[in-house]
Amino acid sequence: MTRLYNPLTAPDAPDADDQGPNSGGLLGEKDPAPVAVHGGADARSPFLLVSDHAGQAIPGDLADLGVTEADRRRHIGWDIGIDGVGRKLARILGSLLIEQVYSRLVIDCNRAPGHPTAIVSISDGTEVPANIGLSAADASLRTAEIFDPYHARIGVELDRRSAVGLETFLIALHSFTPKMGGVERPWQAGVLHNQDPRFGRIVLDALRADGLTVGDNEPYVLTDTSDYTVPVHGEKRGVPHIELEIRQDLIESEAGQGEWAERLARILPAARARYRALYGAHA
Ligand SMILES: [Zn+2]
C-alpha cells in the first residue's frame, strides 16, 4: 500500500545525493512505520482494538509542521493517554491493538481522505502552517503512506478473523479534552454509535452502572461523514463495534490508564456476553 520511493522503478530517478533517500515519497528510512501492533497473545480474543489517534510522530520531511512542541503535545496532536489504556487493555484481554503512529496533525485517520478536517489548517485555535495551502499531491502522499497502510492493516486483520470464523467486536479507542471552547465537559467517558447502536448501548449501560457519567453520542456524534474507522470497518462489515471516548485528565497518568484498562477488561467481555444473549452469535 505504501508508495515509498523506489529508485529502481521511479521514471525520472533523481540522484539520491541531491534529493535525499525518500525523494518522491514522504516517509524516509528514519521515519517510523505508520502502524504499530501490540498484544494479540490470545488468538481467540473476540476484541480487536484500534487507536486512530494514538501517535505523535511527524515525518522528518515535515519537521515540526510549524507547530510548537507544547501545542503538538496538546489534544490537537493526539489522543492523550489512549496509548497506555490501549496497550494495557490489549495485554489483559490478550487482544490485538492496531495503532496509528503519526500525529493527527499530519493526517486524521478517522476522517475520509479529502474531508475538510482530514488535514487541518487550524485546530482548537492553533494554526498548522505546514498544512495551509497544502497541494493535492502532498495530501495524497500523506494518505498513501500513513492513512492507507493503517486502514489496510485493520482490514487484513478483519478479513483474517472472518476467514477462520472468529467473531469480532471492534473497539475504536479515543480520548477527549476536558475543556473545549471554554466549556467544561461533564462526562468521564462517551460511547459513540450510529447505524448499529446495539453493542454501544450495552457498553453505555455498563459504564453507567459503574457509577460513571457517560455521554451517549457525547462529546461527539458518530456520523458517516465525520468518522471513518467505525463506518468502514464496523458498520459496512456488520461487525459489532463501539467508538469509545475517555476524558483525558482521567488517563494522563499511568495509574489512570491502568484503572481504565482494568475497567474495560471487565466491562467488554460482560457486554459481549450480553450482546450474544440478546442478538446471538454473529461470527
Ligand atoms: Zn481520537
Side-chain angles (χ1 to χ4, degrees):
M1 294 301 290
T2 54
R3 272 194 258 139
L4 294 175
Y5 175 67
N6 181 341
L8 299 176
T9 57
D12 295 299
D15 188 324
D17 291 340
D18 297 337
Q19 303 289 331
N22 55 327
S23 174
L26 175 61
L27 300 185
E29 283 173 12
K30 289 182 181 166
D31 290 314
V35 188
V37 176
H38 300 269
D42 180 359
R44 295 157 305 162
S45 168
F47 301 105
L48 177 61
L49 315 177
V50 299
S51 283
D52 304 336
H53 303 143
Q56 302 180 74
I58 296 176
D61 270 9
L62 303 181
D64 58 8
L65 297 168
V67 177
T68 66
E69 186 180 2
D71 275 327
R72 281 184 273 125
R73 286 189 178 181
R74 290 206 298 134
H75 73 96
I76 61 172
W78 65 304
D79 280 1
I80 294 166
I82 209 64
D83 54 344
V85 174
R87 291 170 199 179
K88 290 176 200 297
L89 180 60
R91 202 154 50 231
I92 302 170
L93 291 174
S95 306
L96 203 70
L97 164 67
I98 300 174
E99 287 182 346
Q100 173 53 252
V101 168
Y102 284 89
S103 168
R104 63 187 301 177
L105 295 176
V106 178
I107 187 165
D108 189 328
C109 285
N110 195 26
R111 299 284 181 275
H115 187 278
T117 61
I119 299 176
V120 291
S121 304
I122 187 164
S123 182
D124 192 22
T126 298
E127 275 198 350
V128 186
N131 293 352
I132 296 169
L134 190 70
S135 73
D138 284 339
S140 294
L141 274 182
R142 296 189 195 181
T143 302
E145 296 190 23
I146 295 173
F147 179 97
D148 287 347
Y150 172 68
H151 286 291
R153 182 67 185 82
I154 297 172
V156 162
E157 187 59 22
L158 288 169
D159 287 345
R160 186 193 68 78
R161 297 179 64 89
S162 170
V164 296
L166 277 173
E167 67 167 349
T168 301
F169 290 78
L170 178 69
I171 313 297
L173 295 166
H174 292 265
S175 69
F176 65 95
T177 181
K179 198 171 175 181
M180 190 71 162
V183 179
E184 299 273 356
R185 290 160 153 180
W187 316 280
Q188 286 147 311
V191 174
L192 317 188
H193 51 80
N194 183 25
Q195 306 282 359
D196 180 359
R198 293 178 297 175
F199 188 59
R201 291 217 172 104
I202 293 169
V203 175
L204 177 71
D205 288 346
L207 287 168
R208 284 179 174 168
D210 234 31
L212 301 172
T213 302
V214 186
D216 185 354
N217 270 332
E218 297 274 14
Y220 308 108
V221 178
L222 175 59
T223 70
D224 293 337
T225 50
S226 64
D227 294 73
Y228 185 88
T229 298
V230 159
V232 168
H233 300 298
E235 291 172 347
K236 268 192 197 160
R237 285 177 180 260
V239 170
H241 53 266
I242 51 164
E243 190 166 327
L244 181 71
E245 295 269 2
I246 305 171
R247 207 175 66 206
Q248 287 166 356
D249 58 302
L250 304 175
I251 54 171
E252 268 167 342
S253 71
E254 197 169 342
Q257 293 164 7
E259 186 187 316
W260 270 89
E262 279 168 28
R263 173 179 288 122
L264 294 174
R266 172 168 48 81
I267 281 176
L268 289 174
R272 172 210 178 206
R274 176 92 182 123
Y275 183 95
R276 287 169 65 101
L278 286 171
Y279 308 114
H282 63 276

